[in-house]
């Protein structure tokens, strides 16, 4: 039975665990002190990073936010443990990005950045070297996904769409650390200086919608993904957990269980 690690045990982590047969792996979840979630039989918890490292998981999946990436992932990589991060927006901090790259190299462990809720990143990576390449990413979600933000700004979506943000991927990652990892995934594929980001609360949005428009000398492209929200978190697409499961499966196939 393979041992796998998790950082956090919220909605995404639960969906990851449920995607694997219960008798195929043992999970060790790193959680904050005092957390008492209901756990499946094959999931145990630890509250210290050293305890997770001592469990020697074949891989760890981060599903706890950008702060968790900074706090835990460099040490995991230094210890030689491959790690998949859901919160790719953490790499908007160049100091942290360098720490992660160095730790991956020093520990000989892969740092995996999954596609998350997106598609089309292979096209974007292909045109990234073109000097005239430009990418516009728009996150368009129903107002329920942005209820707190709308209330804080004194806004009501009513029948019309409201643009909550326009700016750079790094600004978006800092303002919306739990919700715009997809925007920074686009930026990592294209180059941060080539991408602009918009966030829209739209009553007519059919789901969590990602719109990507690309222009370059190689041509134009437009991607529109309408993702069903997670039943337990309207800000998170169901596809996010599925992407992490796929990335974990590929990692285990490539490196094999320990």
């Amino acid at each position: 039975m393979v041992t796998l690690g998790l950082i956090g045990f919220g909605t995404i982590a639960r969906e990851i665990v449920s995607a694997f047969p219960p008798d195929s792996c043992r999970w060790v979840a790193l959680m904050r002190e005092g957390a008492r979630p209901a756990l499946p039989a094959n999931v145990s918890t630890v509250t210290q990073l050293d305890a997770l490292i001592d469990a020697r998981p074949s891989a760890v999946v981060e599903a706890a936010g950008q702060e968790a990436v900074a706090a835990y992932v460099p040490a995991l990589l230094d210890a030689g443990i491959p790690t998949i991060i859901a919160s790719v927006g953490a790499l908007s901090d160049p100091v942290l990005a360098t720490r992660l790259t160095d730790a991956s190299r020093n520990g000989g462990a892969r740092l995996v950045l999954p596609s998350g809720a997106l598609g089309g990143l292979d096209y974007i990576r292909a045109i990234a070297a073109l000097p005239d390449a430009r990418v516009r990413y728009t996150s368009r979600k129903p107002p329920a996904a942005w209820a707190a933000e709308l209330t804080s700004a004194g806004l009501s979506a009513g029948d019309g769409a409201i643009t909550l943000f326009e700016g750079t991927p790094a600004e978006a990652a800092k303002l919306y650390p739990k919700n715009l990892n997809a925007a920074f995934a686009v930026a990592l594929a294209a180059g941060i200086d080539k991408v602009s980001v918009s966030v829209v609360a739209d009553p007519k949005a059919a789901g969590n919608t990602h719109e990507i428009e690309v222009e370059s000398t190689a041509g134009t492209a437009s991607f529109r993904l309408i993702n069903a929200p997670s039943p337990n978190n309207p800000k998170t697409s169901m596809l996010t957990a599925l992407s992490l499961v796929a990335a974990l499966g590929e990692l285990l196939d490539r490196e094999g269980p320990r």
Side-chain angles (χ1 to χ4, degrees):
M1 182 178 288
V2 64
T3 297
L4 298 170
L6 293 163
I7 302 175
F9 200 73
T11 299
I12 291 174
R14 290 183 180 278
E15 292 175 0
I16 293 170
V17 169
S18 68
F20 290 81
D23 58 352
S24 68
C25 49
R26 179 176 73 94
W27 299 87
V28 181
L30 176 62
M31 302 185 63
R32 68 181 182 277
E33 196 80 43
R36 296 286 188 272
L39 298 171
N42 63 335
V43 179
S44 61
T45 64
V46 295
T47 57
Q48 300 296 323
L49 177 59
D50 287 346
L52 177 59
I53 292 173
D54 289 344
R56 301 311 303 172
S58 294
V60 170
V61 180
E62 171 277 316
Q66 294 181 21
E67 290 183 357
V69 176
Y72 305 122
V73 176
L76 289 167
L77 296 171
D78 269 328
I81 300 172
T83 304
I84 302 167
I85 65 171
S87 307
V88 297
L91 275 71
S92 61
D93 178 349
V95 175
L96 176 58
T98 299
R99 283 177 62 205
L100 292 169
T101 300
D102 290 345
S104 176
R105 184 184 303 113
N106 293 339
R110 291 188 63 206
L111 173 66
V112 179
L113 309 178
S115 57
L118 296 178
L121 296 183
D122 52 346
Y123 181 97
I124 296 172
R125 281 190 290 267
I127 58 89
L130 299 175
D132 71 325
R134 292 293 178 268
V135 181
R136 182 172 184 82
Y137 167 84
T138 300
S139 172
R140 189 181 300 273
K141 298 181 183 181
W146 299 111
E149 288 80 5
L150 288 167
T151 300
S152 177
L155 298 172
S156 174
D159 295 325
I162 293 177
T163 299
L164 294 172
F165 171 83
E166 287 186 316
T168 68
E171 290 169 337
K174 290 175 182 176
L175 281 173
Y176 305 100
K178 296 181 180 179
N179 311 116
L180 283 182
N181 287 299
F184 209 77
V186 172
L188 290 173
I192 294 175
D193 60 330
K194 294 185 169 77
V195 180
S196 61
V197 177
S198 296
V199 176
V200 180
D202 188 349
K204 297 180 181 178
N208 292 350
T209 304
H210 306 270
E211 300 168 353
I212 306 171
E213 298 172 290
V214 187
E215 295 183 1
S216 74
T217 52
T220 61
S222 179
F223 307 97
R224 189 167 186 261
L225 299 95
I226 303 175
N227 298 334
S230 166
N232 298 309
N233 185 350
K235 291 188 177 184
T236 299
S237 296
M238 186 185 300
L239 187 60
T240 299
L242 295 173
S243 172
L244 291 166
V245 169
L248 181 56
E250 291 172 5
L251 181 62
L252 293 174
D253 286 345
R254 176 178 296 193
E255 303 205 358
R258 301 183 182 189

